[in-house]
Amino acid sequence: MDMDELQNSILEKMYLEYRKGNIGLQRKDFKDMEPNDQKLDSAFKNLKSNGYIEIKSRVHTAIGIFYIVTLSKIGIAFIENSKHFKNKFQDFDHVIHDDDIIFGMGSEHVITILPFKRVYDEINNKNPENRIEIVKNVRMIEKELSNEIINKLNVKTALNYLKNNASWILPGVFGSIIAMFEK
């Protein structure tokens, strides 16, 4: 099984288990899918770097690498709205509804959870020269806010960039941050 197939299989299994109420899965739950610890480790790290899963625990022992992993909001939204998974989960009601997310930058893999949609709309409407860097820094803030443990340095770095290079977007960013915590 190649890496893309493995990652899709992991997401599919995690989503099915999530729908049954099993939120956190362990290494043993994926043993039949991938016996190689290093390959599974790489798949989990890739999925985490894309924001689809959260690694709650990772322990490397002489026996192998043990995990506890959960789906993130972005992972759930990706599965429920991805073309790849569309036919696999038709019978389920969406956990994250279409009006809570948008797909940005022309890729089904980039998912934005509202209220950041307004921020991206504002960037697109203004269309500044440094648009890509602005979007990249807003994405960093949005991604950190979806993590269970927020890396304050990443948020601070992104906010400093926006303050120095696109201060006009800060009121929208701060409004989005506040709105995310009001839910």
Side-chain angles (χ1 to χ4, degrees):
M1 179 179 306
D2 74 7
M3 187 57 75
D4 286 340
E5 291 172 324
L6 177 59
Q7 290 179 41
N8 287 334
S9 296
I10 289 169
L11 289 174
E12 185 176 335
K13 180 176 186 78
M14 290 183 74
Y15 185 73
L16 287 170
E17 291 297 321
Y18 175 84
R19 296 305 299 219
K20 293 177 190 174
N22 301 328
I23 295 171
L25 297 179
Q26 300 175 32
R27 169 62 178 114
K28 67 181 175 74
D29 298 315
F30 301 97
K31 195 171 200 154
D32 59 328
M33 191 179 298
E34 180 53 59
N36 182 312
D37 276 348
Q38 296 304 321
K39 189 171 180 181
L40 190 64
D41 189 44
S42 293
F44 283 142
K45 286 177 181 176
N46 288 341
L47 290 169
K48 182 186 184 317
S49 71
N50 287 321
Y52 298 146
I53 69 169
E54 296 173 12
I55 299 174
K56 300 293 185 182
S57 176
R58 179 184 182 275
V59 179
H60 198 171
T61 68
I63 299 170
I65 303 171
F66 296 92
Y67 286 93
I68 297 176
V69 293
T70 61
L71 278 174
S72 67
K73 286 186 223 175
I74 292 172
I76 294 167
F78 171 69
I79 291 166
E80 291 183 340
N81 296 280
S82 167
K83 291 175 187 171
H84 175 79
F85 293 105
K86 187 175 186 174
N87 297 326
K88 295 184 182 212
F89 304 116
Q90 294 174 4
D91 301 334
F92 292 140
D93 290 331
H94 285 210
V95 174
I96 298 179
H97 299 283
D98 289 342
D99 59 350
D100 293 334
I101 65 157
I102 62 163
F103 293 94
M105 306 294 284
S107 167
E108 72 168 303
H109 295 285
V110 180
I111 297 171
T112 297
I113 299 174
L114 288 179
F116 275 89
K117 179 185 184 316
R118 291 184 234 19
V119 174
Y120 295 114
D121 287 345
E122 187 176 348
I123 294 167
N124 289 335
N125 290 338
K126 192 159 183 151
N127 199 17
E129 284 183 32
N130 56 345
R131 179 181 174 276
I132 292 172
E133 282 300 311
I134 293 170
V135 168
K136 180 178 157 190
N137 282 280
V138 171
R139 278 253 175 251
M140 184 184 306
I141 294 167
E142 181 185 12
K143 183 176 182 267
E144 286 300 331
L145 293 177
S146 70
N147 292 337
E148 188 169 299
I149 298 173
I150 297 171
N151 183 331
K152 294 176 189 172
L153 183 60
N154 285 347
V155 174
K156 186 176 180 180
T157 301
L159 285 173
N160 280 335
Y161 175 85
L162 294 173
K163 178 182 159 192
N164 294 326
N165 299 288
S167 59
W168 50 270
I169 199 67
L170 287 176
V173 171
F174 289 128
S176 297
I177 291 170
I178 292 166
M180 281 189 74
F181 288 104
E182 286 180 344
K183 287 187 173 186

